[in-house]
Amino acid sequence: MVGKFFRKPEAEYADRVPPGQHLTNGFPVLTYGDTPSVDRATWQFKVWGLAQEKTFSWSDFMNLPQSNFTADFHCVTTWSKLDVQWTGVKVTDFMKSIEVDPAAKYVLEHCYGGYTTNISMDDFLREANFFAHTLFGEPLPAEHGGPMRLVVPHIYAWKSAKWINGLEFLTHEELGFWERNGYHRRGEPWAEERYSDR
């Protein structure tokens, strides 16, 4: 597979490609189950748990500050794609539009199709994280998580939940789909936190 679809990272990228990763020549699509088809006209994004409940429409999200991002993307299945270009809303900008109890320490990401994944507030609130609706200048395709996904560049991509439609704020860690099925609770690429040691 190396050579046709993937390549070993060049020395100049040594500080950007975590251990055990190969650079992809494309942008692979890995999905468990069916790909949801979600119309932007009916898309909703909900916030609840240790937060004042609130529901956003697509237009509500588009009225938030929009930013362009270039970020590296690391999949737990050992491929990385550098300099992916996105447009969307910074997590830190989004957080200004909701009220969250300071007791919240974790977030459970909820998605169309029933997928969930967990993330700590410390990892979630980083300035580099964002909700993406555009990929390389085009509306985010469904196979890549459209109409919207979260992107958390500093941890493995399963935490960058596709088809996201809600955040549940919690005092405690509640494992999501892949975490319950053997993936690491956090997923830090440089430490190769791929799988659980439980």
Side-chain angles (χ1 to χ4, degrees), residues 107-108 116-120 159 173-176 179 185:
V107 183
L108 192 63
T116 58
T117 188
N118 61 279
I119 187 171
S120 70
K159 300 288 189 178
E173 182 181 49
E174 183 174 327
L175 301 183
E179 295 82 12
R185 289 168 181 258

Side-chain angles (χ1 to χ4, degrees), residues 11-157:
E12 64 188 289
Y13 299 128
D15 62 340
R16 294 175 63 186
V17 182
Q21 298 290 108
H22 292 82
L23 293 178
T24 177
N25 297 323
F27 200 161
V29 174
L30 299 174
T31 300
Y32 179 84
D34 296 332
T35 297
S37 178
V38 184
D39 191 326
R40 292 183 177 192
T42 57
W43 178 90
Q44 289 188 325
F45 187 95
K46 299 179 181 179
V47 171
W48 73 99
L50 288 177
Q52 182 175 354
E53 291 192 16
K54 191 170 183 178
T55 300
F56 294 79
S57 66
W58 187 261
S59 60
D60 291 334
F61 237 90
M62 293 306 101
N63 285 330
L64 294 173
Q66 304 292 310
S67 301
N68 295 319
F69 307 89
T70 300
D72 298 341
F73 196 83
H74 307 296
C75 182
V76 69
T77 60
T78 74
W79 60 264
S80 293
K81 185 171 181 63
L82 304 184
D83 297 322
V84 183
Q85 297 174 22
W86 313 84
T87 301
V89 176
K90 285 184 180 181
V91 165
T92 51
D93 285 336
F94 172 77
M95 291 296 288
K96 295 172 186 176
S97 67
I98 63 173
E99 296 180 25
V100 178
D101 190 318
K105 301 301 179 187
Y106 291 91
V107 183
L108 192 63
E109 305 167 36
H110 290 261
C111 307
Y112 286 99
Y115 177 79
T116 58
T117 188
N118 61 279
I119 187 171
S120 70
M121 287 290 283
D122 287 343
D123 281 322
F124 178 67
L125 293 176
R126 293 199 182 192
E127 186 70 20
N129 300 340
F130 54 93
F131 298 96
H133 54 72
T134 300
L135 174 65
F136 291 113
E138 299 291 336
L140 184 63
E143 62 267 25
H144 282 297
M148 188 173 294
R149 75 181 298 166
L150 179 66
V151 179
V152 184
H154 72 281
I155 48 184
Y156 284 125

Side-chain angles (χ1 to χ4, degrees), residues 1-14:
M1 296 295 281
V2 173
K4 184 176 182 181
F5 300 108
F6 305 97
R7 67 186 191 277
K8 292 182 178 180
E10 296 85 347
E12 64 188 289
Y13 299 128

Side-chain angles (χ1 to χ4, degrees), residues 146-185:
M148 188 173 294
R149 75 181 298 166
L150 179 66
V151 179
V152 184
H154 72 281
I155 48 184
Y156 284 125
W158 88 82
K159 300 288 189 178
S160 296
K162 297 191 281 190
W163 315 298
I164 195 161
N165 71 348
L167 300 174
E168 181 181 4
F169 291 88
L170 303 164
T171 58
H172 59 282
E173 182 181 49
E174 183 174 327
L175 301 183
F177 175 81
W178 285 116
E179 295 82 12
R180 294 193 306 271
N181 286 281
Y183 277 35
H184 197 275
R185 289 168 181 258

